[in-house]
């Protein structure tokens, strides 16, 4: 199968890192197609970044559709434009936060989320509410490590991340940890060795969910919420969406 792995921020280095994690996890028969937008913020850390990144992300979903991919992954922990992407796509579209929460809820009663900036905590909390996982999440903790600092994480930042994971376990009762950024996908193996509970990265979780849906022959339902978008004229920069 072909999985389009979309990094909605414009950091090509981050796309490469997550592609390595995705390929290491995927079945040998799965082709990972990494995809980075040409326009938009280098990292997505607030609602403004997310809104600007969303239009470019939807262009990439359309590109993936033309390439006949069997699944699209939105590899940003805010799951930006996930509902809109499902309106565009026929193949499944998986957001990494939703994927990680689903996996965590299968193997733990209470999981913790450890993410980047404190600024993004409400966004993660909103997603937990939206997806119905709030009762299974014991805490959402921030490290205040900027997303781009994860590209070449130094030992100090790594220890900060590990300290917050430990605090989630010892103080909040976390039985599993969800890593709250696509840029953390390369840290899951080391953290898993050093911490006593399961550590879940959304990128690899999304790859395995995409493969499962494909093997079961399941597509996005085009009835109701994820039905085709409503055709109408568009002008200016977005004229290519007119129909
Ligand atoms: C992400 N931002 O996964 C999110 C994480 C965050 O550019 N890739 C980003 O901190 O919200």
């Amino acid at each position: 199968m072909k999985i389009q792995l979309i990094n909605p921020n414009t950091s090509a280095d981050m796309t490469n890192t997550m592609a390595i994690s995705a390929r290491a996890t995927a079945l040998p028969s799965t082709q990972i197609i990494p995809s980075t937008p040409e326009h938009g913020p280098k990292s997505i850390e607030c609602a403004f970044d997310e809104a600007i990144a969303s239009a470019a992300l939807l262009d990439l979903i359309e590109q993936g559709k033309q390439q006949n991919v069997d699944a699209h992954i939105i590899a940003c922990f805010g799951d930006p434009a996930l509902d809109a992407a499902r309106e565009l796509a026929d193949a499944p579209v998986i957001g990494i936060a939703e994927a990680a929460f689903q996996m965590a809820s299968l193997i733990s009663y209470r999981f913790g989320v450890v993410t980047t900036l404190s600024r993004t905590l409400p966004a993660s909390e909103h997603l937990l509410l939206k997806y119905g996982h709030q009762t299974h999440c014991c805490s959402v903790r921030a490290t205040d490590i900027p997303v781009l600092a994860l590209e070449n994480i130094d030992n100090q930042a790594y220890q900060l991340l590990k300290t917050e994971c430990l605090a989630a376990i010892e103080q909040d009762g976390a039985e599993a940890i969800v890593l709250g950024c696509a840029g953390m996908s390369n840290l899951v193996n080391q953290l898993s060795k050093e911490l006593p509970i399961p550590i879940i990265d959304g990128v690899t979780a999304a790859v395995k969910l995409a493969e499962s849906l494909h093997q079961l022959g399941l597509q996005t339902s085009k009835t109701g919420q994820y039905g085709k978008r409503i055709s109408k004229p568009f002008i200016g920069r977005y004229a290519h969406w007119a129909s």
Side-chain angles (χ1 to χ4, degrees), residues 9 14 43-45 75-78 96 115-117 120 147 180-183:
N9 75 36
M14 193 164 288
S43 62
I44 299 172
E45 297 179 312
C76 174
F77 202 73
I96 63 165
T115 187
T116 53
L117 302 186
T120 67
V147 170
C181 183

Side-chain angles (χ1 to χ4, degrees), residues 82-100:
L82 181 57
D83 289 334
R86 286 178 177 156
E87 289 178 1
L88 276 187
D90 297 312
V93 186
I94 303 178
I96 63 165
E98 192 174 16

Side-chain angles (χ1 to χ4, degrees), residues 93-206:
V93 186
I94 303 178
I96 63 165
E98 192 174 16
F101 299 156
Q102 294 283 6
M103 287 267 184
S105 69
L106 295 174
I107 56 165
S108 65
Y109 183 66
R110 290 208 192 283
F111 62 85
V113 178
V114 180
T115 187
T116 53
L117 302 186
S118 306
R119 175 74 186 261
T120 67
L121 292 180
S124 296
E125 287 160 5
H126 285 152
L127 284 185
L128 286 158
L129 270 171
K130 178 180 169 191
Y131 299 145
H133 285 295
Q134 74 279 13
T135 50
H136 289 119
C137 180
C138 57
S139 62
V140 186
R141 287 178 168 268
T143 53
D144 282 322
I145 302 168
V147 170
L148 294 179
L150 292 167
E151 282 179 352
N152 279 305
I153 191 166
D154 59 21
N155 187 48
Q156 195 186 353
Y158 177 80
Q159 292 307 326
L160 203 59
L161 179 60
K162 191 173 150 188
T163 301
E164 287 304 326
C165 291
L166 279 168
I169 299 167
E170 289 161 8
Q171 295 171 34
D172 310 332
E175 299 161 13
I177 301 278
V178 165
L179 298 179
C181 183
M184 294 176 180
S185 69
N186 58 336
L187 305 175
V188 68
N189 289 341
Q190 194 177 341
L191 286 167
S192 296
K193 283 189 201 127
E194 295 176 7
L195 295 168
I197 62 172
I199 310 294
I200 297 149
D201 150 54
V203 175
T204 45

